[in-house]
Amino acid sequence: MNNTFGTLFCITTFGESHGNALGVVIDGLPAGLEIDEAFIQSEMDRRRPGQSRVTTARKESDTIEILSGVFEGKSTGTPLAIMLRNTNQRSGDYNNLADVFRPGHADYTFQQKYGIRDYRGGGRSSGRETAARVAAGAVAKLLLKHFGISVRACTEQIGSIRAEKIDWSQIEQNPVRCGDPSAADAMACLIRTQAQKGDSIGGIIRGEILGVPPGLGEPVFDKFDALLAHAMLSIGGVKGFEIGSGFSAAESAGSQNNDPMTASGFLTNHAGGVLGGISSGNVVQFRIAVKPTSSISVLQRTLDRNGNEVEIRVGGRHDPCLVPRIVPVVEAMAALVTADLLLRARSSKL
Amino acid sequence: MNNTFGTLFCITTFGESHGNALGVVIDGLPAGLEIDEAFIQSEMDRRRPGQSRVTTARKESDTIEILSGVFEGKSTGTPLAIMLRNTNQRSGDYNNLADVFRPGHADYTFQQKYGIRDYRGGGRSSGRETAARVAAGAVAKLLLKHFGISVRACTEQIGSIRAEKIDWSQIEQNPVRCGDPSAADAMACLIRTQAQKGDSIGGIIRGEILGVPPGLGEPVFDKFDALLAHAMLSIGGVKGFEIGSGFSAAESAGSQNNDPMTASGFLTNHAGGVLGGISSGNVVQFRIAVKPTSSISVLQRTLDRNGNEVEIRVGGRHDPCLVPRIVPVVEAMAALVTADLLLRARSSKL
Amino acid sequence: MNNTFGTLFCITTFGESHGNALGVVIDGLPAGLEIDEAFIQSEMDRRRPGQSRVTTARKESDTIEILSGVFEGKSTGTPLAIMLRNTNQRSGDYNNLADVFRPGHADYTFQQKYGIRDYRGGGRSSGRETAARVAAGAVAKLLLKHFGISVRACTEQIGSIRAEKIDWSQIEQNPVRCGDPSAADAMACLIRTQAQKGDSIGGIIRGEILGVPPGLGEPVFDKFDALLAHAMLSIGGVKGFEIGSGFSAAESAGSQNNDPMTASGFLTNHAGGVLGGISSGNVVQFRIAVKPTSSISVLQRTLDRNGNEVEIRVGGRHDPCLVPRIVPVVEAMAALVTADLLLRARSSKL
Amino acid sequence: MNNTFGTLFCITTFGESHGNALGVVIDGLPAGLEIDEAFIQSEMDRRRPGQSRVTTARKESDTIEILSGVFEGKSTGTPLAIMLRNTNQRSGDYNNLADVFRPGHADYTFQQKYGIRDYRGGGRSSGRETAARVAAGAVAKLLLKHFGISVRACTEQIGSIRAEKIDWSQIEQNPVRCGDPSAADAMACLIRTQAQKGDSIGGIIRGEILGVPPGLGEPVFDKFDALLAHAMLSIGGVKGFEIGSGFSAAESAGSQNNDPMTASGFLTNHAGGVLGGISSGNVVQFRIAVKPTSSISVLQRTLDRNGNEVEIRVGGRHDPCLVPRIVPVVEAMAALVTADLLLRARSSKL
């Protein structure tokens, strides 16, 4: 089940960058949930390309069509399938890439794995694949909302520019989705500078899940944080994940890192809201590292299909920084993990 | 399937810290593999408690018994079950913990999730659970060895003391499993100092998988690095994971971070051996962050089962630093992921 | 994963009888297989309604659209999604059924399970759902053909009329898909007679899988015959399954029922091609029982949603006998099981 | 996951006939259930060999040991592992079978599939494997009992001798487990006669699940009856399954076969308690066909490992009729299916 994620709230995605359509089948959504189609579309719009100067120039309407699973505005318990058509393919841009492996991309590894690859726009390995995740994540968010749970994410760092604070009301007010307006300006500037050089830049995203009741997560392999790590690293370009104090825990003593419990709750949150893999009721907090976009027009050394050394500049329409557009994908994946564990927790007790 | 890990090379573990026995059922091991029982036992011995002054004083022989799946020294294709009995339980140490939630532990979350918990030694949430993983991982290593693949890990940092180099031949020569002998001495010293204070310390582990052929890993959700992240965060006490350049990729430009390909291979390995979730043939490299041990005898604030604020010192026999003993667990989990993806790759082509 | 079938060759279906579309996502299809779209369409046409006087008058073109997973005519190893739109819905026919539970149908049980149901044409419980299976089964047949395996099924009995012989070349030459032309005439006559009375009739289907190599099937729970039984009983209206000698084995002695092996193969096939759940190389042979169509215009006693007793005649456009149209569905499900076990067998040995 | 059954109430079994031990890991059992160990042992005793003249002379105490998952008499939500040791192996009986394939057995197919086989007593393909299922089924029965659900099965036919009635209080009063005492005598006589001839005989078992609430079962692939069929055909020697009217539905008209609903319930039960794959609240009723034991001392033709034709008489200690000992296995598998669907139904609605 290579393209399926989740156990009870279970999604299966399909689609390539330049094929007929992308989509997702959501299986396991409980019956009776109001499906706010406008909300799902608004989430798609957040991920959609072509929105600002810091993202790719490819324009896709990303209009969703719900194919099944909804009746009179409510989920029916049957699979909810969502499709979105590709409309703005310019596959011609990629013809010259049929025979060469772009550095940092999955071209070489797909060829090795399958012996065949849809090279147009990266095919299945394109970031466009995440559109289906965002659609599914929007449905997961609707389910979570019903139970008082919400998910949010923001850009915390681009290159070496860090947000000094997070004002969550600012996230959608700037193109980099940063909660610190002045850092946001500097980040946008850095991204444009890199773009002008034909280069790219990485960054860090922070995610939070609020309102999680204690008891979600399975104690051994499917720990809440383990599933989050799985979910986040499954997003193309993500290179690291940490929960709570994360890598800084390595330098801590137990007396600093343990979170004291009091009658009014945990005094700190070094654990990131998860103890022994199970949610504690504290906010679930995590961070992920995003690499710089691999598609750059700077000259690079690589191989062609025959093993000859060649040099290339990668053309096409690309984001000089993936971070802002990955923010809604991070939210979607976090929502999917949480929704799944919420349903799984229903069978933990008699 | 809360206690199952893997799709084709699939393990299910069972057992509590102070119950009758722990064990694992390995399902999906191909027939015909020579099962070197002495090797499995030697791996158990690497994880076993009571080996040095930097680990817990609990002594367990951790002698394995193979219950099924081997005939005349070879795997038969049927489930290979391994059991190890608990022998050195001192549950009395834990009676006073029946009614109080230890900070940093899963006591509170287990109680919330299940409404009942085996409080003796942490029950299922004890690090002792990882013994079953190490047994399974040893079998996975035997399978990988047959295909020329090997796994290794070492301590890279304890507190703020970092290894300056890695000499892999040194790992088992010092109690902290560090590849830099002089750093190892300082690390051991730091651990003892923390132990004397009744406190603990965290650290960082590096892992590597060598000999991985190109083509392992599924391109969307079950990326090689996503499964590794899942596997690593499923180990108790692990708070972060990064592949290749990891969090430092956030500050990189694409022109720095992409790994140039040449006829003699990749010139660098910022990707950590994985492109688009699929192994590239380069060494798979990752790092994980381990928190300081939660069990400390420093006085801490917490709650009892009735919600009253109390102060506790956690007694019992504990490792002041989890890192050295997690090293073989990291290897085991990495071996399990790789073995699973190796089998899954068998159906990627006609 | 309620709407997913298969482990490695894994399908997920979606869609309701009167929704926007039905479809299937095939995950796990190996790369490099030629996808003969015309063949898939021809299989759809075999199941399609409106073909003869013995089937429903509803007309659907059932034209498939491949949304993903194929590049330059070959499978790429990524999910192959197929969609077909509903075009000839006459949902008005069903408005009167919103508040009453049709006997023999899933109306009552869906209402109990989900608290909501798409009553138009039976929604997800409609036989129309099997269109997605036939599409997936056609792809499975293409894979099997590559390995020299084929699947076939035919009508063996309608009511009490039995085929005396099976001439496989005749199956598609008569509307009941019977291999005995004279029995076929009598069967068609019986079906029309029942239809004129507003009643329906059941029957028996025989299925065969040819060219199966020895070694497919997992020896305990996922026996070849157990998965076939699962697959067949998952088809709406199927009430029984038997492999090889089936129920008649109950009256046999071991000396009669065992199949002697000789250098030229098995002398008999009471086992139905499966020993201990694993294919023996003999033809896999099974039979299934199909109940009479539940939708009849004969007056029946039932309840409405408020628990009141009512009498109804079920209108709409229905097959008076399900058997002929289930024949291709049986083939599809048998092909899916075989394809899955074929891939699973790749990891049984080193 | 070849040796795993179930989705939420999920069991993994291990063990060979003549290995060290057999066992099962039950994952997904909700916390808080009282585990009546004496009841589990009593179920083991019902399946145990050596009980009467109609069963094998092999004597096994089949004493279970619970290795994990129970604390102070209750389930904890962690895996409940049960082991039973093999004690009465007489592997010497089987040495002559190392190189010959017994007709009707899995010897040939195991050899083909794995290239190696534990020939002692059939290894993993032995009926002894079902001991682990019975242990797990006993736990499932405890869970079902908590929700007012019970499972029962009995022998309905041996050879051509049929029970004329079912008095459920009689089942454990005779060695064939038949509800009709006078038929039971004739059945026992027939079995002994066959045994004296060195031959064997088949039969039919009826199973029932009582107290099932409406709404269990998933509407497409994991229909209640499809999972039952899967479960039953996964038992060695079972060749057929039917639900409700089963094969006789083939000769019925819809007006006969539909079950009228009234305010006081369904008037008939041709459906067998399942409509559209979902339980209706009516009793779930099914029948299975069991083949005659393959191990017979009558001379049979077969092949040896080198492909030479040979003749053999199968010695060892075997049941001349599998039916009576399969009865508790049928109950166990039915309980496992029901427990799983009971938990899965918890996420069907908001």
Side-chain angles (χ1 to χ4, degrees):
Chain A
M1 285 164 279
N2 303 332
N3 294 276
T4 292
F5 189 78
T7 298
L8 291 187
F9 191 102
C10 178
I11 69 165
T12 302
T13 67
F14 60 87
E16 283 83 39
S17 179
H18 289 227
N20 287 337
L22 296 116
V24 62
V25 183
I26 305 168
D27 198 2
L29 179 65
L33 184 70
E34 290 214 32
I35 301 302
D36 180 345
E37 200 166 334
F39 172 74
I40 303 173
Q41 188 61 56
S42 71
E43 288 289 283
M44 299 306 294
D45 294 344
R46 288 179 67 210
R47 197 214 68 94
R48 190 157 56 88
Q51 300 171 89
S52 79
R53 276 188 302 164
V54 302
T55 62
T56 167
R58 176 173 174 175
K59 284 190 172 49
E60 286 284 357
S61 69
D62 279 3
T63 305
I64 60 161
E65 181 185 7
I66 295 181
L67 299 178
S68 65
V70 178
F71 184 60
E72 298 181 345
K74 288 192 174 171
S75 66
T76 58
T78 62
L80 197 164
I82 301 176
M83 179 180 68
L84 61 158
R85 293 205 171 268
N86 289 317
T87 55
N88 192 240
Q89 304 105 308
R90 278 179 20 199
S91 305
D93 285 2
Y94 297 92
N95 281 347
N96 59 328
L97 298 178
D99 296 317
V100 66
F101 303 126
R102 294 169 298 167
H105 278 280
D107 299 350
Y108 174 71
T109 52
F110 262 68
Q111 189 68 43
Q112 289 287 325
K113 184 176 188 70
Y114 299 116
I116 180 178
R117 72 191 164 97
D118 179 350
Y119 54 79
R120 301 167 303 167
R124 182 79 178 139
S125 73
S126 166
R128 187 146 178 71
E129 164 265 321
T130 60
R133 307 191 190 203
V134 169
V139 175
K141 282 183 174 183
L142 290 173
L143 179 67
L144 294 177
K145 190 181 174 192
H146 182 85
F147 293 97
I149 303 169
S150 62
V151 175
R152 63 190 185 187
C154 67
T155 298
E156 193 173 278
Q157 186 176 331
I158 299 289
S160 54
I161 303 168
R162 292 167 207 236
E164 297 297 317
K165 58 173 187 178
I166 305 180
D167 175 348
W168 289 98
S169 71
Q170 292 297 310
I171 308 303
E172 297 297 314
Q173 306 307 314
N174 60 74
V176 289
R177 295 201 160 100
C178 177
D180 176 344
S182 68
D185 289 344
M187 289 169 176
C189 179
L190 172 59
I191 294 172
R192 283 193 300 270
T193 302
Q194 289 299 98
Q196 281 154 10
K197 289 195 259 178
D199 209 341
S200 61
I201 190 72
I204 290 175
I205 294 171
R206 167 178 290 273
E208 291 189 354
I209 316 174
L210 300 107
V212 181
L216 306 196
E218 301 302 328
V220 180
F221 299 114
D222 286 357
K223 288 180 163 76
F224 201 137
D225 37 354
L227 290 183
L228 280 177
H230 184 152
M232 296 307 149
L233 268 289
S234 81
I235 303 171
V238 173
K239 303 300 286 182
F241 170 87
E242 55 183 16
I243 182 93
S245 53
F247 276 87
S248 74
E251 306 197 12
S252 294
S255 56
Q256 302 164 303
N257 193 66
N258 283 350
D259 302 309
M261 286 185 81
T262 70
S264 50
F266 293 94
L267 291 185
T268 52
N269 192 11
H270 297 113
V274 180
L275 284 169
I278 304 171
S279 62
S280 67
N282 215 334
V283 179
V284 176
Q285 290 179 314
F286 58 92
R287 294 167 83 242
I288 68 166
V290 178
K291 75 173 183 181
T293 315
S294 297
S295 293
I296 52 176
S297 54
V298 173
L299 200 65
Q300 298 178 87
R301 294 176 64 182
T302 190
L303 297 180
D304 68 16
R305 286 184 59 176
N306 302 315
N308 301 313
E309 299 199 348
V310 293
E311 291 191 319
I312 60 161
R313 296 179 192 278
V314 179
R317 300 161 293 177
H318 306 289
D319 291 306
C321 179
L322 301 170
V323 175
R325 287 186 62 209
I326 285 184
V327 166
V329 183
V330 166
E331 291 178 18
M333 293 309 294
L336 289 166
V337 166
T338 311
D340 190 33
L341 290 174
L342 188 74
L343 296 182
R344 290 172 75 172
R346 289 185 175 185
S347 56
S348 59
K349 292 181 204 169
L350 271 188
Chain B
M1 287 164 281
N2 303 330
N3 294 276
T4 292
F5 188 77
T7 297
L8 291 188
F9 191 101
C10 178
I11 69 164
T12 302
T13 67
F14 60 88
E16 282 84 40
S17 179
H18 289 226
N20 287 338
L22 295 116
V24 61
V25 184
I26 305 170
D27 198 2
L29 179 64
L33 184 71
E34 290 213 32
I35 301 300
D36 179 347
E37 200 165 336
F39 172 73
I40 303 173
Q41 188 62 55
S42 72
E43 288 288 283
M44 300 306 295
D45 294 344
R46 290 179 65 210
R47 196 214 68 92
R48 192 158 54 88
Q51 300 173 89
S52 79
R53 278 187 301 165
V54 302
T55 62
T56 167
R58 176 173 174 173
K59 284 192 169 49
E60 288 283 359
S61 70
D62 280 4
T63 306
I64 59 160
E65 182 185 5
I66 296 181
L67 301 178
S68 65
V70 179
F71 182 61
E72 298 180 343
K74 288 194 174 171
S75 65
T76 57
T78 63
L80 196 164
I82 301 176
M83 180 180 68
L84 61 159
R85 293 206 172 267
N86 289 316
T87 55
N88 193 239
Q89 303 106 309
R90 279 179 19 201
S91 305
D93 285 3
Y94 296 93
N95 281 347
N96 59 331
L97 298 177
D99 296 317
V100 65
F101 302 125
R102 293 169 298 168
H105 278 280
D107 299 350
Y108 173 72
T109 53
F110 262 69
Q111 190 68 43
Q112 289 287 324
K113 184 177 188 70
Y114 298 116
I116 179 178
R117 71 192 165 95
D118 179 349
Y119 53 79
R120 302 167 302 166
R124 182 80 178 138
S125 72
S126 166
R128 186 145 179 73
E129 163 265 321
T130 61
R133 306 191 191 202
V134 169
V139 176
K141 282 182 175 182
L142 290 173
L143 180 67
L144 294 178
K145 190 182 174 192
H146 181 85
F147 292 98
I149 303 169
S150 62
V151 175
R152 62 190 185 188
C154 67
T155 298
E156 193 172 279
Q157 185 176 331
I158 299 288
S160 55
I161 303 168
R162 294 168 206 235
E164 298 296 317
K165 58 171 186 179
I166 306 180
D167 175 349
W168 289 99
S169 70
Q170 292 297 310
I171 307 304
E172 296 298 313
Q173 307 307 315
N174 60 74
V176 289
R177 295 201 160 100
C178 177
D180 177 344
S182 66
D185 289 344
M187 289 170 177
C189 179
L190 172 59
I191 294 171
R192 282 193 300 270
T193 304
Q194 289 300 100
Q196 280 152 12
K197 289 194 258 180
D199 210 340
S200 60
I201 190 71
I204 289 175
I205 294 171
R206 166 178 291 272
E208 291 190 352
I209 316 173
L210 300 106
V212 181
L216 305 196
E218 300 302 328
V220 179
F221 299 113
D222 285 358
K223 289 181 162 78
F224 201 136
D225 39 354
L227 290 183
L228 280 176
H230 184 154
M232 297 306 149
L233 269 288
S234 81
I235 304 170
V238 173
K239 303 301 285 181
F241 171 87
E242 55 183 16
I243 182 93
S245 53
F247 276 88
S248 74
E251 305 196 13
S252 295
S255 56
Q256 302 165 302
N257 194 66
N258 284 350
D259 301 310
M261 287 185 80
T262 71
S264 49
F266 293 94
L267 291 186
T268 52
N269 192 10
H270 297 113
V274 180
L275 285 169
I278 303 171
S279 62
S280 67
N282 215 334
V283 179
V284 176
Q285 290 179 314
F286 59 93
R287 293 166 85 243
I288 68 164
V290 178
K291 75 173 184 181
T293 316
S294 297
S295 292
I296 52 177
S297 54
V298 173
L299 199 66
Q300 300 178 85
R301 298 177 63 182
T302 190
L303 299 180
D304 68 14
R305 285 184 60 177
N306 303 315
N308 301 314
E309 299 199 347
V310 293
E311 289 191 321
I312 61 161
R313 295 180 194 278
V314 179
R317 301 161 292 177
H318 307 289
D319 292 307
C321 179
L322 301 169
V323 175
R325 287 187 63 209
I326 286 184
V327 165
V329 183
V330 165
E331 290 178 18
M333 294 308 295
L336 289 166
V337 166
T338 310
D340 191 34
L341 290 174
L342 188 74
L343 296 183
R344 289 173 75 171
R346 290 186 174 183
S347 56
S348 59
K349 292 181 204 168
L350 270 189
Chain C
M1 286 164 282
N2 303 332
N3 294 276
T4 291
F5 188 78
T7 297
L8 291 188
F9 191 102
C10 177
I11 70 165
T12 302
T13 67
F14 60 88
E16 284 82 40
S17 178
H18 289 226
N20 286 337
L22 296 117
V24 62
V25 184
I26 304 169
D27 198 2
L29 179 64
L33 183 70
E34 289 213 33
I35 301 301
D36 180 346
E37 200 166 334
F39 172 73
I40 303 173
Q41 188 62 55
S42 71
E43 289 288 283
M44 299 306 295
D45 294 345
R46 288 179 67 208
R47 197 214 68 93
R48 191 158 54 89
Q51 301 172 88
S52 78
R53 278 188 301 165
V54 301
T55 62
T56 167
R58 176 173 172 174
K59 285 190 171 49
E60 287 284 358
S61 71
D62 279 3
T63 305
I64 60 161
E65 181 184 6
I66 295 180
L67 300 178
S68 65
V70 179
F71 183 60
E72 298 181 343
K74 288 192 174 172
S75 64
T76 59
T78 63
L80 197 163
I82 301 176
M83 178 181 70
L84 61 157
R85 293 206 171 268
N86 288 317
T87 55
N88 191 239
Q89 304 104 309
R90 278 179 20 200
S91 304
D93 285 3
Y94 297 92
N95 281 348
N96 59 329
L97 298 177
D99 297 318
V100 66
F101 303 125
R102 293 169 298 167
H105 279 279
D107 300 348
Y108 173 71
T109 54
F110 262 69
Q111 189 69 42
Q112 289 287 324
K113 184 176 188 70
Y114 297 115
I116 180 178
R117 71 189 164 98
D118 179 350
Y119 53 79
R120 300 167 303 166
R124 183 78 177 141
S125 72
S126 166
R128 185 144 179 73
E129 163 265 322
T130 60
R133 306 190 191 203
V134 169
V139 176
K141 282 183 174 182
L142 291 173
L143 179 67
L144 294 178
K145 190 181 175 191
H146 181 85
F147 292 97
I149 303 170
S150 62
V151 176
R152 62 190 185 187
C154 66
T155 298
E156 193 173 279
Q157 185 176 332
I158 299 289
S160 54
I161 303 168
R162 293 168 205 234
E164 298 297 316
K165 58 172 187 179
I166 305 180
D167 175 349
W168 288 98
S169 71
Q170 292 297 311
I171 307 303
E172 296 298 313
Q173 306 307 316
N174 60 73
V176 288
R177 295 200 161 101
C178 177
D180 176 345
S182 68
D185 289 344
M187 289 170 177
C189 178
L190 172 59
I191 293 171
R192 282 194 300 270
T193 303
Q194 289 299 99
Q196 280 154 11
K197 289 195 257 179
D199 209 340
S200 61
I201 189 74
I204 289 174
I205 293 172
R206 166 178 291 273
E208 291 189 354
I209 316 174
L210 301 106
V212 180
L216 305 196
E218 301 303 328
V220 179
F221 299 114
D222 286 356
K223 290 180 162 77
F224 201 138
D225 38 353
L227 290 183
L228 280 177
H230 185 153
M232 296 307 148
L233 268 289
S234 81
I235 303 170
V238 173
K239 304 300 287 182
F241 170 87
E242 55 182 17
I243 182 92
S245 54
F247 276 87
S248 74
E251 306 197 12
S252 294
S255 56
Q256 301 164 303
N257 193 66
N258 284 350
D259 301 310
M261 285 185 82
T262 71
S264 50
F266 293 94
L267 292 186
T268 52
N269 193 10
H270 297 114
V274 180
L275 284 170
I278 303 171
S279 61
S280 66
N282 214 335
V283 180
V284 176
Q285 289 180 315
F286 58 92
R287 294 166 84 242
I288 68 165
V290 178
K291 75 173 185 180
T293 316
S294 297
S295 292
I296 52 176
S297 54
V298 173
L299 199 66
Q300 298 177 87
R301 295 177 64 181
T302 190
L303 297 181
D304 68 16
R305 286 185 58 175
N306 302 315
N308 301 313
E309 299 198 347
V310 294
E311 289 191 321
I312 60 161
R313 296 178 192 279
V314 179
R317 300 162 293 176
H318 306 289
D319 292 306
C321 179
L322 301 169
V323 175
R325 287 187 62 209
I326 285 183
V327 166
V329 183
V330 165
E331 290 179 17
M333 294 307 295
L336 290 166
V337 166
T338 310
D340 190 33
L341 290 174
L342 188 74
L343 297 182
R344 291 173 76 173
R346 288 185 176 185
S347 56
S348 59
K349 292 181 205 169
L350 272 188
Chain D
M1 287 164 280
N2 303 332
N3 294 275
T4 291
F5 189 77
T7 298
L8 291 188
F9 190 102
C10 177
I11 70 164
T12 302
T13 67
F14 60 89
E16 283 83 40
S17 179
H18 289 225
N20 287 337
L22 296 116
V24 62
V25 184
I26 305 170
D27 198 2
L29 180 65
L33 183 71
E34 290 214 33
I35 301 301
D36 179 346
E37 200 166 334
F39 173 74
I40 303 173
Q41 189 61 56
S42 72
E43 289 287 283
M44 299 306 295
D45 294 344
R46 289 180 66 208
R47 196 214 69 93
R48 192 157 54 88
Q51 300 173 88
S52 79
R53 279 188 300 165
V54 302
T55 62
T56 166
R58 175 172 174 173
K59 284 192 170 50
E60 287 284 359
S61 70
D62 279 4
T63 305
I64 60 160
E65 181 185 5
I66 295 181
L67 300 178
S68 65
V70 178
F71 183 60
E72 298 181 344
K74 288 193 174 172
S75 64
T76 58
T78 63
L80 197 162
I82 301 176
M83 180 181 67
L84 62 158
R85 293 205 172 267
N86 289 317
T87 55
N88 192 240
Q89 304 106 309
R90 280 181 16 201
S91 305
D93 285 3
Y94 296 93
N95 281 347
N96 60 330
L97 298 178
D99 296 318
V100 66
F101 303 125
R102 294 169 298 167
H105 278 280
D107 299 350
Y108 174 72
T109 53
F110 262 68
Q111 190 68 42
Q112 289 287 325
K113 184 176 188 70
Y114 298 116
I116 180 179
R117 72 193 165 96
D118 180 349
Y119 54 79
R120 302 167 303 167
R124 182 81 178 138
S125 72
S126 165
R128 185 142 181 74
E129 164 265 321
T130 60
R133 306 190 191 203
V134 169
V139 176
K141 282 182 175 182
L142 290 173
L143 180 67
L144 294 177
K145 190 182 175 192
H146 181 86
F147 293 98
I149 303 170
S150 62
V151 175
R152 63 190 185 187
C154 67
T155 298
E156 194 173 278
Q157 185 176 330
I158 299 289
S160 54
I161 303 168
R162 294 167 204 235
E164 298 296 318
K165 58 172 186 178
I166 305 180
D167 176 349
W168 289 97
S169 71
Q170 291 298 310
I171 307 303
E172 296 297 313
Q173 306 308 313
N174 60 74
V176 288
R177 295 204 161 99
C178 177
D180 176 344
S182 67
D185 290 344
M187 290 170 177
C189 179
L190 172 60
I191 294 171
R192 283 192 300 270
T193 303
Q194 290 298 101
Q196 281 153 12
K197 289 194 257 180
D199 209 341
S200 61
I201 190 72
I204 289 174
I205 294 171
R206 166 177 293 271
E208 291 190 353
I209 315 173
L210 301 104
V212 181
L216 305 195
E218 301 302 329
V220 179
F221 298 113
D222 286 358
K223 290 181 162 77
F224 201 137
D225 38 354
L227 290 182
L228 281 176
H230 184 153
M232 296 307 148
L233 268 288
S234 81
I235 303 169
V238 173
K239 303 300 286 183
F241 170 86
E242 55 182 17
I243 182 92
S245 54
F247 275 87
S248 74
E251 305 196 12
S252 295
S255 55
Q256 302 164 302
N257 193 66
N258 284 350
D259 300 310
M261 287 185 81
T262 71
S264 50
F266 293 93
L267 292 186
T268 53
N269 193 11
H270 297 113
V274 179
L275 284 170
I278 304 170
S279 62
S280 67
N282 214 334
V283 179
V284 176
Q285 289 179 315
F286 58 93
R287 294 166 83 243
I288 68 166
V290 178
K291 75 173 184 181
T293 315
S294 297
S295 292
I296 52 176
S297 53
V298 173
L299 199 66
Q300 299 178 85
R301 297 177 63 181
T302 190
L303 298 180
D304 67 15
R305 284 184 60 177
N306 302 315
N308 301 314
E309 299 199 347
V310 293
E311 289 191 320
I312 61 162
R313 296 181 193 278
V314 179
R317 299 161 295 176
H318 306 290
D319 292 306
C321 179
L322 302 170
V323 175
R325 287 187 63 208
I326 286 184
V327 166
V329 184
V330 165
E331 291 178 18
M333 294 307 296
L336 289 166
V337 166
T338 310
D340 190 35
L341 291 174
L342 188 74
L343 296 182
R344 290 173 74 172
R346 289 185 175 184
S347 57
S348 59
K349 293 181 203 168
L350 270 189

